Amino acid sequence: MNKAMHISFQLALLLAVCLAGEFIAPLLPFKFSASVLSMLILLLLLALKAVKYENIKPTSDFLLGNMALLFVPLGVSLLEYTHIISANLVLFAVVVLLTTPVVYAAAALTAQAVINWQDKRGAKAAPTR
């Protein structure tokens, strides 16, 4: 398979996972983000080895490397709401100042838990001498 077809297949696979999340999210009895659901579906497919990491790595690396470009339309659309943002600037500042440490702590604790889990898993998998 040539490189262009390989990349097209990877993009199609990632798009299919995103579309699955978009279709499933409204069917749930509770509100759930379709993008988060799509990531969970992809995680499940990777964990079950239905999708191999190597099959999506190049395209995923490209998308992650250029993620800033994906936020340009969002940033531009915020310009339409500057009057609302400026009217609530203090509230936005409070929310940002309160939630940023919480997000950092959650990320740090999650990373530490994964590292500990990998260390324990690695110790079990290591051959004994």
Side-chain angles (χ1 to χ4, degrees):
M1 183 183 302
N2 67 19
K3 187 174 183 173
M5 286 299 293
H6 191 65
I7 290 172
S8 297
F9 172 75
Q10 292 174 24
L11 280 171
L13 181 63
L14 293 174
L15 178 63
V17 170
C18 290
L19 288 175
E22 290 289 338
F23 286 122
I24 294 171
L27 302 175
L28 295 174
F30 48 87
K31 289 195 178 241
F32 200 81
S33 169
S35 57
V36 173
L37 184 60
S38 298
M39 287 189 284
L40 292 173
I41 292 169
L42 183 59
L43 177 64
L44 179 69
L45 291 172
L46 288 167
L48 295 174
K49 302 207 190 272
V51 172
K52 291 187 175 116
Y53 171 69
E54 298 81 31
N55 291 345
I56 61 169
K57 184 181 181 334
T59 300
S60 299
D61 287 346
F62 172 79
L63 290 172
L64 287 172
N66 294 292
M67 190 181 293
L69 292 175
L70 302 175
F71 287 99
V72 169
L74 175 67
V76 171
S77 68
L78 281 175
L79 295 176
E80 294 179 27
Y81 302 101
T82 53
H83 62 284
I84 296 172
I85 294 171
S86 61
N88 297 297
L89 197 56
V90 173
L91 181 61
F92 281 125
V94 169
V95 169
V96 168
L97 291 173
L98 292 177
T99 59
T100 300
V102 172
V103 171
Y104 284 162
L109 292 171
T110 302
Q112 191 60 50
V114 169
I115 290 168
N116 291 341
W117 176 74
Q118 287 177 335
D119 286 346
K120 288 179 186 175
R121 189 173 156 206
K124 288 181 185 177
T128 56
R129 294 183 185 204

